Amino acid sequence: MSHNHSHGGHGHDHGSSNYNRAFVVSVSLNTGFVIIEAVYGILANSLALVADAGHNLSDVLGLLLAWGASILARRRPTPRRTYGLRRSSILAALLNAVFLLVVSGGIGWEAIQRFRSPAPVAGGTMIIVAFIGIAINAGSALMFLSGRKGDLNIRGAFLHLVADAAVSAGVVLAGIAIITTGWLWFDPAVSLIVTVVIVAGTWQLLQESLNLITDAVPAGIEPLAVRTYLAELPGVSGVHDLHIWAMSTTETALSVHLVIPAGYPGDAFLARVVQELHDNFSIEHPTIQVETGDSSYPCSFVEERQV
């Protein structure tokens, strides 16, 4: 049996290297706003403002985490870490989702407590400070807009900022309602509504990051379509030991055994397969083993679901 291996790769801008400026601006603006919002939230006795400040603080931590992961993902491989630190971007996306859910739970709990003992709130201060928050977070989110679909790590940063803008919008509505009606329960009520919205928006991020960190096939790639493509290649009589997994939030790897009775098909054949896997399925790092199917030397990984 002939065992030949082909490793394919393409030049990329790994992770979030184009977003360094966006991270610097977003972290700086949000850090300053957290301090302002916390101070005025305490002065205005507004749970919504204090909760939003807490959420913005988690946003800063999340942005720092995503930024750090984007830098680590570009570190070169070493003899010990043969893929480098690319998977750190997946871990950052998972931690970002967890941060959002934990902070949302804290906001919800505080809102429930405030329902039991409503307190006077300075609605005007709430509105002014929250409007500033909307401007800062919406502007920061726009800087990550283009990368949110192709990079789960960038999506985590984007969702943090969008969630903050939504919280700030809720604070504005609560302030207006309190001024016009005098009903203090609007403050915790809006906090609860915004919490539900944040959890709903974060759930998919949590699911996708969990899938990637457990080596599930990345969303957007259909395993059956990849297997069919490989099985229909000229000269291929069998496909087995097919694995597709995420190397990072932007790169996908594949390994597979192709049974080609005629023997090694040549470098041109493998180069074409590598290019087509990239173009058709966004698979960046395929490793292909060629076998002839000699019954005297059967492959021990022919059976499906055997790793």
Side-chain angles (χ1 to χ4, degrees):
M1 180 183 297
S2 171
H3 290 275
N4 297 287
H5 303 266
S6 173
H7 300 269
H10 300 263
H12 303 286
D13 179 18
H14 298 305
S16 316
S17 57
N18 286 334
Y19 294 92
N20 282 335
R21 183 170 176 272
F23 278 118
V24 170
V25 173
S26 298
V27 169
S28 300
L29 288 176
N30 276 277
T31 300
F33 183 64
V34 164
I35 298 172
I36 294 172
E37 192 172 31
V39 170
Y40 278 95
I42 294 171
L43 293 176
N45 197 31
S46 169
L47 171 64
L49 274 182
V50 174
D52 193 21
H55 188 264
N56 269 291
L57 179 59
S58 79
D59 181 44
V60 172
L61 295 175
L63 287 171
L64 288 172
L65 183 66
W67 190 10
S70 74
I71 294 172
L72 290 175
R74 299 195 300 274
R75 294 283 294 273
R76 296 182 64 82
T78 67
R80 177 65 60 182
R81 299 186 183 277
T82 56
Y83 277 138
L85 294 171
R86 295 176 184 178
R87 293 191 73 117
S88 61
S89 59
I90 302 175
L91 180 61
L94 175 61
L95 292 177
N96 259 329
V98 173
F99 278 168
L100 280 165
L101 292 175
V102 169
V103 171
S104 297
I107 294 173
W109 176 255
E110 289 299 323
I112 293 172
Q113 300 304 308
R114 183 61 69 93
F115 269 120
R116 297 175 180 174
S117 54
V121 176
T125 302
M126 287 175 60
I127 294 171
I128 295 172
V129 176
F131 260 124
I132 297 173
I134 292 174
I136 289 176
N137 288 297
S140 298
L142 288 175
M143 291 189 286
F144 294 98
L145 181 64
S146 61
R148 75 192 191 284
K149 292 184 179 179
D151 187 338
L152 198 64
N153 191 37
I154 293 297
R155 188 189 307 176
F158 174 78
L159 284 177
H160 261 288
L161 294 165
V162 169
D164 277 342
V167 172
S168 295
V171 173
V172 170
L173 294 176
I176 294 173
I178 289 171
I179 289 175
T180 55
T181 66
W183 294 343
L184 299 179
W185 57 266
F186 266 115
D187 185 38
V190 169
S191 297
L192 279 178
I193 293 171
V194 170
T195 296
V196 172
V197 172
I198 294 172
V199 170
T202 305
W203 195 250
Q204 184 179 7
L205 175 66
L206 179 66
Q207 286 183 312
E208 288 190 38
S209 54
L210 280 173
N211 283 337
L212 293 188
I213 210 165
T214 54
D215 289 334
V217 177
I221 297 180
E222 175 50 57
L224 181 58
V226 176
R227 179 179 290 274
T228 300
Y229 159 76
L230 294 170
E232 292 178 350
L233 289 170
V236 174
S237 64
V239 175
H240 59 269
D241 200 32
L242 173 61
H243 300 279
I244 306 171
W245 72 97
M247 296 171 63
S248 71
T249 52
T250 58
E251 296 172 279
T252 301
L254 170 149
S255 66
V256 66
H257 294 197
L258 298 183
V259 180
I260 303 179
Y264 182 62
D267 289 352
F269 171 87
L270 293 177
R272 178 171 68 86
V273 173
V274 166
Q275 187 63 48
E276 289 178 353
L277 285 171
H278 171 266
D279 295 342
N280 299 330
F281 303 103
S282 297
I283 293 173
E284 313 291 352
H285 193 105
T287 301
I288 301 168
Q289 176 168 306
V290 175
E291 302 168 1
T292 62
D294 188 341
S295 59
S296 300
Y297 304 96
C299 178
S300 57
F301 297 102
V302 171
E303 293 186 18
E304 294 300 320
R305 296 183 179 85
Q306 182 173 343
V307 179

